[in-house]
Amino acid sequence: MGATLVEKIFSSRCGKEIEAGDVVMAAVDRAMIHDITGPLAVQKFREMNGNVVFDPARIVMLFDHQVPADSIQAAENQKFMREFALRQGIHNYDLREGVCHQVVLEKGHAAPGEIVVGSDSHTCTYGAAGAFATGIGSTDMGFVLRFGALYFRVPDSIRVEVNGAFAPRVGAKDLILDIAGSIGADGATYQALEFTGETFASMPMPGRMTCANMAIEMGAKAGIVPPDAITWKYLKGRRPDLKPFALESDEDATYAEWREFDATGLVPKVAVPHNVDNVVDVEEVAGTHIDQVFIGSCTNGRYEDFVEAAEVLGNRTFSDDVRVILIPASRDEYLKTLRAGLIERFVEAGALVEAPCCGPCMGGAFGLLAPGEVSLSTSNRNFRGRQGSTEAEVYLCSAATAAASAIYGEITDPREVE
Amino acid sequence: MMRIWKFGDDIDTDAIIPGRYLTEYDPKKLAEHVFEGTRDDFRAGVQEGDVLVAGRNFGCGSSREHAPLALLGAGVKVVVAESFARIFYRNAVNTGLLPLICPEAGALVEGHEAVVDIADGYIESDGVRHATEAVPPFMQEIVDAGGLVEYAKNMKEVELCTGSHR
């Protein structure tokens, strides 16, 4: 019987046939911990009588949620993690590199066929590189730090097949919002999304990251793009230890569901408060007043997103009525954007550009909203209270829609900006 | 006898404990902010042993284990829902908060008294028993141990790729 990509990854790991529904204790290739969920994971590791971590070289540590430390308690947590890394011989990127999911990928810590866990729900982003990657809690992470393995219930897969080419100023974020709106916030619970079709086959890595990132917003355990020439090109130089190999689902693999989407004719999409699957065409909410625009996060904080925003912005300035906050997702993405002259253009136009971090996305550090305020954000969640007050509203969109809206101070269809 | 606190669908972990309190790890201190801004009467009125009853997809969103910890700190030991988000479900089992799936959770009424029978798998309220699903066998061992820490702390090593049971 044929196997899905995810079944193949687990079968390969265990050297025997593993099917969806099986529960296996599987070794992990990498474990990622950060400043928010890391301290509790370390505490749990110790409570499990952990003394020495399973393999320091397989652990990735960095700080991105509350950096630079925004409170004494955050500073204490980061100090605690630094000391743990030092004692255990774990490489700690500290606050230098940026948002965890971007950094894990750009430093080559996830590759086709690998099993990666992170104590953060958006760990599913690494499916963009053909890895099976999933978010876990701190106690599970404590177990992983101790034993280098974890129980997995191998998920069955929903095949998401997308064909067609995007219209100008429409892209991966609009597509994944469309998919989330269709599948629903719990439509893929305990399942994996396998992203296929000609649209994904020709999609560059940044778009694949955007889509895999939001698999969790449908309840999925993982989102995975079959590795191909684009994947291996991205990994060249990042993973000199690997030679390209084939990894794809069998033609007769069994899927829980097979969903088809068309990129042709897709229009800019917006997720309206307060659920990610509450998705409408931009024209339905055009004209909605906004107080803040955030372009950044692990979903859409890459160089390509800033190129998209700059192309819409042109020589205009942002509305004086809007606080525009731009945060590149990593140091590398920041430098690319900087060297292309885009940072200068954004600052001239009136934006605040912050150093790489999660920023307003999770409402922990800065850029919080007051009651009654409205945010338009390229991040991944619009839950009530996500970016500050529970009486504020968050809308989600692409970088192009965010830039167009920031110019006019209201939600604007980017296709209508000349 | 426990009292029912009723919630709707898609209750996310940001609602259970907002992002700005995640530098804290103590369940009692987290409980001071549980459902802050989204359901303030819960924090004020919840009693030790009360049961939280919700609709679909309880605990969706962030993987923050602060969410089950905040509920435990508030005295809740059982959450009954039509369905749970994956990471929350697992975090709950790992930290000793029992998540029970109950397809008829919608029939339970806010403020009414209820009894949960874990062994026989039901929640009873207003004289009606509603069946609850046991956790999967591999997680039952963790529940029986009182959480993943208790389950794992005397383990010396793990046996890889064993236990391929459905």
Side-chain angles (χ1 to χ4, degrees):
Chain A
M1 199 180 72
T4 65
L5 204 47
V6 168
E7 288 170 328
K8 285 194 174 184
I9 290 173
F10 280 94
S11 297
S12 162
R13 178 57 40 96
C14 287
K16 61 180 177 186
E17 201 173 301
I18 302 281
E19 291 174 25
D22 288 347
V23 176
V24 288
M25 175 71 79
V28 304
D29 293 285
R30 221 88 52 215
M32 186 283 296
I33 48 179
H34 59 53
D35 52 326
I36 291 291
T37 55
L40 190 56
V42 171
Q43 188 188 316
K44 296 297 170 188
F45 162 75
R46 287 179 176 159
E47 288 174 16
M48 289 175 199
N49 293 319
N51 183 24
V52 178
V53 295
F54 76 105
D55 181 356
R58 291 182 183 274
I59 299 167
V60 178
M61 184 191 292
L62 48 70
F63 310 147
D64 57 356
H65 279 63
Q66 288 173 309
V67 295
D70 61 346
S71 66
I72 293 169
Q73 212 171 4
E76 283 175 346
N77 285 340
Q78 290 168 27
K79 184 179 177 211
F80 172 80
M81 293 298 282
R82 269 183 206 113
E83 288 169 356
F84 181 73
L86 204 61
R87 248 194 328 276
Q88 297 282 346
I90 298 166
H91 180 72
N92 176 15
Y93 290 109
D94 211 287
L95 50 57
R96 285 180 297 276
E97 295 297 335
V99 181
C100 54
H101 307 308
Q102 178 63 26
V103 175
V104 164
L105 283 161
E106 75 186 23
K107 300 295 182 190
H109 295 306
E114 292 189 335
I115 297 175
V116 185
V117 292
S119 52
D120 188 289
S121 62
H122 291 105
T123 298
C124 51
T125 312
Y126 321 149
F132 176 85
T134 194
I136 61 175
S138 293
T139 302
D140 268 343
M141 183 55 82
F143 189 94
V144 170
L145 294 178
R146 174 110 159 76
F147 298 109
L150 191 64
Y151 278 114
F152 294 89
R153 178 176 169 274
V154 179
D156 47 23
S157 298
I158 298 177
R159 189 172 168 113
V160 176
E161 186 176 323
V162 187
N163 292 301
F166 295 118
R169 294 185 178 169
V170 178
K173 181 61 167 292
D174 303 299
L175 173 63
I176 196 64
L177 286 177
D178 189 45
I179 293 170
S182 170
I183 290 181
D186 63 350
T189 299
Y190 254 110
Q191 295 175 312
L193 297 175
E194 190 176 316
F195 296 112
T196 65
E198 63 187 37
T199 309
F200 276 102
S202 60
M203 190 183 286
M205 283 298 284
R208 294 180 180 188
M209 294 178 195
T210 301
C211 292
N213 175 272
M214 291 193 70
I216 180 69
E217 308 312 332
M218 289 159 261
K221 185 168 188 164
I224 188 164
V225 182
D228 58 12
I230 291 172
T231 323
W232 290 110
K233 187 175 173 226
Y234 181 81
L235 288 166
K236 196 166 183 257
R238 291 185 160 91
R239 287 297 294 269
D241 59 317
L242 294 179
K243 282 202 180 75
F245 56 85
L247 177 63
E248 57 186 357
S249 292
D250 291 327
E251 277 182 22
D252 58 345
T254 306
Y255 289 95
E257 225 179 317
W258 193 307
R259 304 288 295 256
E260 290 183 15
F261 293 85
D262 194 354
T264 315
L266 185 71
V267 301
K269 296 279 179 180
V270 176
V272 306
H274 296 282
N275 291 97
V276 183
D277 61 350
N278 221 351
V279 177
V280 301
D281 293 351
V282 67
E283 63 179 27
E284 287 182 46
V285 286
T288 304
H289 171 79
I290 50 176
D291 299 288
Q292 180 166 297
V293 167
F294 169 46
I295 305 180
S297 83
C298 50
T299 316
N300 288 104
R302 283 170 277 277
Y303 166 71
E304 289 75 8
D305 296 303
F306 295 110
V307 169
E308 201 177 294
E311 188 271 322
V312 173
L313 177 64
N315 290 319
R316 297 176 184 81
T317 55
F318 293 123
S319 166
D320 285 341
D321 293 335
V322 180
R323 309 183 292 269
V324 182
I325 302 171
L326 306 186
I327 310 183
S330 71
R331 190 161 65 103
D332 281 8
E333 297 302 307
Y334 194 180
L335 281 170
K336 273 191 275 182
T337 312
L338 189 68
R339 285 170 181 150
L342 304 184
I343 297 290
E344 187 177 343
R345 182 73 271 279
F346 292 133
V347 173
E348 271 174 3
L352 294 179
V353 179
E354 303 287 345
C357 67
C358 300
C361 172
M362 59 85 75
F366 60 83
L368 303 185
L369 303 172
E373 287 194 324
V374 178
S375 161
L376 182 66
S377 176
T378 67
S379 55
N380 41 50
R381 287 190 178 133
N382 60 349
F383 301 152
R384 189 186 293 280
R386 173 77 177 178
Q387 296 186 2
S389 169
T390 50
E391 292 163 56
E393 295 188 325
V394 180
Y395 291 74
L396 305 176
C397 67
S398 70
T401 302
S405 307
I407 296 167
Y408 296 102
E410 56 185 41
I411 296 178
T412 302
D413 187 337
R415 297 168 304 171
E416 289 178 3
V417 178
E418 280 182 18
Chain B
M1 209 52 112
M2 46 176 73
R3 216 156 36 112
I4 291 170
W5 291 86
K6 196 81 185 287
F7 287 77
D9 295 337
D10 300 319
I11 301 297
D12 60 79
T13 53
D14 276 83
I16 300 170
I17 184 75
R20 58 192 173 279
Y21 301 118
L22 302 187
T23 48
E24 185 57 67
Y25 301 95
D26 175 36
K28 287 280 173 214
K29 288 185 179 162
L30 288 166
E32 292 170 14
H33 304 287
V34 67
F35 291 113
E36 188 171 295
T38 51
R39 181 87 197 257
D40 293 313
D41 64 319
F42 176 82
R43 197 168 57 258
V46 67
Q47 303 280 326
E48 186 75 23
D50 281 355
V51 61
L52 197 155
V53 175
R56 284 168 50 160
N57 204 24
F58 186 82
C60 62
S62 161
S63 66
R64 62 189 67 168
E65 211 161 277
H66 310 66
L69 292 181
L71 293 173
L72 285 164
V76 173
K77 295 186 178 60
V78 181
V79 180
V80 174
E82 286 175 45
S83 65
F84 289 89
R86 182 188 67 82
I87 304 176
F88 180 89
Y89 187 83
R90 203 153 153 149
N91 285 348
V93 167
N94 286 346
T95 54
L97 175 70
L98 187 64
L100 293 176
I101 296 170
C102 173
E104 295 171 7
L108 295 158
V109 181
E110 166 78 18
H112 285 205
E113 293 188 331
V115 175
V116 172
D117 189 316
I118 297 162
D120 287 336
Y122 64 82
I123 177 168
E124 183 174 331
S125 185
D126 300 326
V128 184
R129 286 185 180 183
H130 305 279
T132 57
E133 292 174 21
V135 300
F138 86 100
M139 293 179 92
Q140 188 60 47
E141 294 170 29
I142 297 169
V143 170
D144 292 344
L148 186 60
V149 168
E150 294 302 315
Y151 176 83
K153 73 180 187 187
N154 295 319
M155 288 170 61
K156 295 278 175 263
E157 57 187 7
V158 293
E159 264 187 83
L160 292 176
C161 297
T162 55
S164 186
H165 48 71
R166 292 301 184 91

